[in-house]
């Protein structure tokens, strides 16, 4: 006898990588060339809410930010549904087998603007589908099949995505390195440089880099083992200077790989570069802030509680808020659960 929940809902946060994922060894399964590490951002107005219900409709349906579409047009969603149905403790029941899903998902921030909307989106979906189908696989695998970096949003705090060795991806999963209560003095500031959709998707960007960048190969073979080890140590020992240095070097290297890709991929804009210069000057005597950029122009800054007020004043001095985007231009939070 199976129990059928009528509705499952979840909330999932975004994450920002401090050891970057760039390059797939399998596009079909979203298997990465390297392991990566991220910080989950527990910010109330930067998350996805999703609700999954069983329906008697003809098709699986998704309603994303109010726009409805059939799941059959979206290969990522199809992969997520396929794997939970294949590994469901309930799917053997006739009742569940005949049902389709209705997925309703909303982001409370701009989609596709380098704010990791796919990460929170697929993590949230994975939580719902994993529960509703009672799937006997690591639920971070469901998220990974939607979007690689999403598997890291399944946990709070500091999370490592183990690249895994197996070709079926069963060991390519997320694990928590340290909890959300581990480093309470760490602060995060997001500088929204632009909220426009990015020009080249991360999937397309990675595909081009894997094909054409010799520097990506060097990074994967020569740099990452050491960086992953140093980053884990920096997190465990709360060594901010080391954490910040590796974070900035990783961001620089990701964008250098993009530059080395042919034709080159450019995600940062002139304001992003101004931010890098400002932070570099600010860190002249001592590393007090780290910047990092993903596949878009927006900056995520890490600092410590003791430097936060001074940093914010400096940023507001260099980038005075304009009337129209005053309240939306920066989001801040400390790193503890559901703060601010
Ligand atoms: O998971 P995707 O396909 O959105 O790729 C994310 C890639 C970066 O954000 C640039 C880096 C990362 O590790 O999150």
């Amino acid at each position: 006898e199976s129990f059928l929940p009528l509705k499952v809902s979840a909330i999932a946060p975004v994450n920002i990588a401090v050891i970057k994922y760039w390059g797939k060894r399998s596009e079909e399964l979203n298997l990465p060339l390297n392991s990566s590490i991220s910080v989950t951002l527990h910010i109330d107005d930067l998350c996805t809410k999703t609700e999954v219900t069983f329906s008697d409709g003809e098709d699986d349906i998704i309603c994303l930010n109010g726009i409805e579409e059939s799941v059959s047009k979206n290969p990522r969603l199809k992969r997520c549904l396929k794997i939970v149905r294949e590994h469901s403790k309930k799917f053997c029941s006739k009742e569940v087998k005949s049902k389709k899903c209705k997925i309703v998902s909303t982001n409370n921030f701009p989609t596709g603007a380098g704010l990791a909307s796919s990460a929170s989106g697929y993590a949230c979906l994975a939580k719902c589908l994993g529960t509703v189908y009672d799937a006997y696989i690591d639920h971070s695998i469901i998220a990974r099949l939607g979007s690689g970096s999403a598997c890291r949003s399944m946990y709070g705090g500091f999370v490592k995505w183990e690249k895994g060795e197996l070709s079926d991806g069963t060991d390519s999963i997320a694990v928590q390195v340290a909890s959300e209560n581990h480093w309470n003095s760490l602060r995060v500031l997001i500088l929204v440089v632009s909220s426009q959709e990015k020009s080249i998707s991360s999937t397309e960007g990675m595909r081009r880099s894997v094909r054409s960048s010799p520097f990506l190969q060097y990074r994967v073979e020569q740099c990452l083992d050491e960086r992953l080890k140093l980053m884990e140590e920096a997190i465990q020992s709360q060594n901010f200077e080391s954490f910040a240095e590796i974070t900035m070097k990783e961001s620089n290297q990701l964008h250098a790989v993009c530059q080395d890709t042919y034709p080159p991929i450019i995600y940062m804009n002139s304001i992003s570069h101004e931010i890098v210069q400002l932070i570099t000057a600010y860190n002249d005597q001592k590393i007090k802030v780290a910047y990092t950029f993903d596949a878009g122009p927006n900056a995520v800054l890490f600092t410590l509680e003791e430097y936060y007020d001074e940093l914010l004043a400096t940023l507001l001095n260099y980038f005075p808020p304009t009337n129209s985007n005053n309240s939306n231009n920066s989001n801040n939070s400390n790193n503890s659960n559901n703060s601010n």
Side-chain angles (χ1 to χ4, degrees), residues 99-157:
K99 299 270 183 206
K100 297 292 177 189
C101 267
K102 175 151 194 206
I103 303 159
V104 178
S105 191
T106 42
N107 292 329
N108 56 9
F109 59 95
T111 304
L115 288 175
S117 57
S118 65
S120 56
Y122 283 107
C124 209
L125 181 69
K127 287 183 187 187
C128 292
L129 290 180
T131 307
V132 93
Y133 282 99
D134 202 2
Y136 55 90
I137 40 165
D138 188 303
H139 289 186
S140 73
I141 291 176
I142 310 167
R144 190 199 77 224
L145 289 171
S147 168
S149 60
C151 72
R152 299 185 311 234
S153 273
M154 297 296 282
Y155 301 100

Side-chain angles (χ1 to χ4, degrees), residues 17 19-22 118 147-149 152 202-203 206 254 294-295:
I19 299 288
K20 304 291 188 189
Y21 150 52
W22 197 254
S118 65
S147 168
S149 60
R152 299 185 311 234
S202 43
T203 299
M206 287 184 208
L254 167 67
D294 278 345

Side-chain angles (χ1 to χ4, degrees), residues 88-104:
S88 173
K89 289 185 198 146
K90 288 185 193 142
F91 201 53
C92 46
S93 93
K94 244 192 189 159
E95 208 186 346
V96 177
K97 214 165 192 160
S98 63
K99 299 270 183 206
K100 297 292 177 189
C101 267
K102 175 151 194 206
I103 303 159
V104 178

